[in-house]
Amino acid sequence: MRVLSATVPMHDNLLQARRLLSSSQEIVVFSHRNPDGDAVGSTLGLMHYLRDRGHACTIILPSNYPEFLDFLPDVGSIIIFDDDMECAQEKIKSATLFFLLDFNSFERIDKMAEGMMEDDRPRIMIDHHLHPEEIANPIFSRPDRSSTCEMVYEFIEGLGDAEYVNKRISDSLYTGILTDTGGFKYNTTPDLFRTVAKLLEAGTDAYKVADHVWNNLTEKQLRLLGHCLANRMELLPEYRTGLIYLNNQDYEEFDIQRGDTEGIVNYVLRMPDMMIAAFIHEQPTIVKLSLRSKGTMDVQQICKALFRGGGHRNAAGGASFAPLGSTINRFKKHLPKYADEIEAAYLEFNNQ
């Protein structure tokens, strides 16, 4: 399959996409494992648009999405590969066009990617992460954008179809923007707010979406949050860094399931002098790490250098096959390398 570089001009990519969508297609939309609000919102928003324009469209995700996204329109139509592999494979087999949303490497979709590199059916990528692999044609890659949801709106608008953005589409895209920006704290630009205004004009109720997204904790999740803050938080004020960790015993005691730890890492950054927050948690075969930061402090570089990960400047993740304690010590051991950068980012952030 011939691929185009992510640096191909946007106009040429839109012409290619418009050509691919000029006739009715059987479309499958993929997003990454452990899908978040941006993954689910962008795929649903695009699905509604494509169906409204006469295409058959199915979303397939490797694993299930968090329960707080159940309010999104037609979210129940998503096929989860882990749960219904046979149905997913049938849809993939009959597809005439694929969209790859919110990921830019086939590693992010695991078994769903089997045979894809040799498959000559067309694929379109829309993604905002750094360093896209050339696995689609065309590739819409904008690391400067807040979210893939923002890019999906720009994609629809670029095709000349902004008038077709209805409440189902806008609710889906607004949700992904809201979650990926942490409630409009990260990666915001004037362009983003112009897009958000158009989504609100299309019918989205910002208060209701925010209520679904932020006010959805169970008693168990609140007690887990209290445990994390009271018993599992360590502050390293000399590096303006705080970390929260969870071990296997915690997972068993609180019966932690997918989504229960969502957003816990962000509480560290509620302290004004903290610039980096780390959430390090033990899994059955791996230790996962999530980093968040303020201002110009780039935590993506830390994840990439130490934990084979990546992401964005203010939100990144990685993994370690070392034990939990060793992983925590490795993170703390390397913080002095970034001390000057952390302090400079702090001074700039506070205009000192």
Side-chain angles (χ1 to χ4, degrees):
M1 175 182 179
R2 187 176 68 87
V3 296
L4 291 178
S5 166
T7 59
V8 170
M10 182 72 73
H11 175 72
D12 292 347
N13 280 345
L14 285 169
L15 288 177
Q16 174 74 347
R18 187 176 288 113
R19 184 186 67 78
L20 290 170
L21 294 171
S22 62
S23 59
S24 181
Q25 301 279 359
E26 292 280 341
I27 298 172
V28 167
V29 182
F30 290 149
S31 196
H32 56 79
R33 177 165 288 280
N34 301 325
D36 55 7
D38 192 27
V40 176
S42 62
T43 54
L44 283 172
L46 182 66
M47 179 194 76
H48 290 305
Y49 163 73
L50 292 171
R51 287 181 176 179
D52 290 347
R53 303 306 291 152
H55 303 283
C57 185
T58 302
I59 299 169
I60 304 177
L61 304 177
S63 58
N64 216 340
Y65 51 85
E67 288 185 5
F68 77 86
L69 296 171
D70 280 343
F71 76 97
L72 288 172
D74 292 324
V75 70
S77 69
I78 294 174
I79 297 173
I80 305 302
F81 191 86
D82 286 351
D83 297 340
D84 199 348
M85 190 178 302
E86 184 176 346
C87 178
Q89 289 175 333
E90 283 298 315
K91 290 292 185 180
I92 293 170
K93 184 178 179 180
S94 62
T96 59
L97 173 64
F98 298 94
F99 273 86
L100 317 182
L101 265 56
D102 204 37
F103 72 98
N104 55 29
S105 166
F106 278 141
E107 292 180 357
R108 299 296 313 281
I109 61 171
D110 300 337
K111 293 181 181 179
M112 282 167 36
E114 288 182 0
M116 274 290 164
M117 286 305 296
E118 294 75 35
D119 196 317
D120 62 359
R121 287 174 290 177
R123 299 190 289 266
I124 298 173
M125 178 196 295
I126 304 176
D127 179 64
H128 71 130
H129 295 91
L130 294 166
H131 313 305
E133 296 182 4
E134 295 190 336
I135 56 176
N137 176 15
I139 294 173
F140 295 88
S141 176
R142 292 292 302 270
D144 62 318
R145 287 317 193 216
S146 70
S147 56
T148 299
C149 282
E150 181 183 1
M151 293 185 65
V152 168
Y153 180 85
E154 292 178 341
F155 175 75
I156 295 171
E157 189 175 52
L159 293 176
D161 286 342
E163 64 185 288
Y164 296 105
V165 175
N166 54 36
K167 187 176 186 299
R168 290 172 301 146
I169 297 171
S170 65
D171 279 358
S172 302
L173 300 183
Y174 183 87
T175 298
I177 291 171
L178 182 69
T179 55
D180 242 34
T181 61
F184 301 106
K185 293 193 293 288
Y186 316 119
N187 302 318
T188 59
T189 63
D191 283 343
L192 170 66
F193 287 106
R194 281 186 277 268
T195 292
V196 166
K198 295 170 187 175
L199 295 177
L200 298 182
E201 289 170 349
T204 288
D205 185 325
Y207 178 84
K208 286 185 178 180
V209 173
D211 188 61
H212 281 295
V213 169
W214 307 127
N215 299 333
N216 56 65
L217 295 181
T218 63
E219 178 184 352
K220 179 187 75 172
Q221 290 168 334
L222 281 172
R223 293 190 183 279
L224 173 62
L225 174 61
H227 172 68
C228 288
L229 299 180
N231 307 312
R232 294 290 185 262
M233 182 171 70
E234 180 180 354
L235 300 182
L236 305 163
E238 65 272 32
Y239 304 116
R240 302 191 184 279
T241 296
L243 67 89
I244 293 172
Y245 68 92
L246 288 173
N247 56 34
N248 285 330
Q249 183 178 345
D250 295 319
Y251 270 79
E252 184 176 342
E253 179 181 349
F254 286 90
D255 186 29
I256 298 174
Q257 303 298 321
R258 187 187 309 279
D260 286 345
T261 61
E262 186 75 25
I264 286 177
V265 63
N266 297 317
Y267 280 85
V268 170
L269 294 182
R270 293 192 174 193
M271 291 178 277
D273 289 339
M274 294 291 109
M275 292 298 292
I276 296 177
F279 178 54
I280 305 175
H281 51 118
E282 202 168 20
Q283 300 287 288
T285 61
I286 203 169
V287 172
K288 291 189 175 181
L289 177 137
S290 298
L291 296 185
R292 300 292 184 268
S293 68
K294 296 176 184 175
T296 59
M297 184 57 217
D298 182 4
V299 289
Q300 183 269 153
Q301 62 176 325
I302 299 176
C303 288
K304 184 177 181 180
L306 302 177
F307 300 103
R308 293 169 293 189
H312 305 285
R313 182 180 68 187
N314 297 119
S320 168
F321 288 100
L324 177 65
S326 299
T327 302
I328 292 172
N329 288 335
R330 178 174 172 80
F331 172 70
K332 291 161 62 175
K333 176 183 176 181
H334 286 270
L335 277 177
K337 297 180 182 178
Y338 302 96
D340 290 343
E341 185 176 348
I342 293 169
E343 192 62 24
Y346 171 78
L347 294 174
E348 180 178 345
F349 188 74
N350 290 279
N351 296 317
Q352 296 182 10

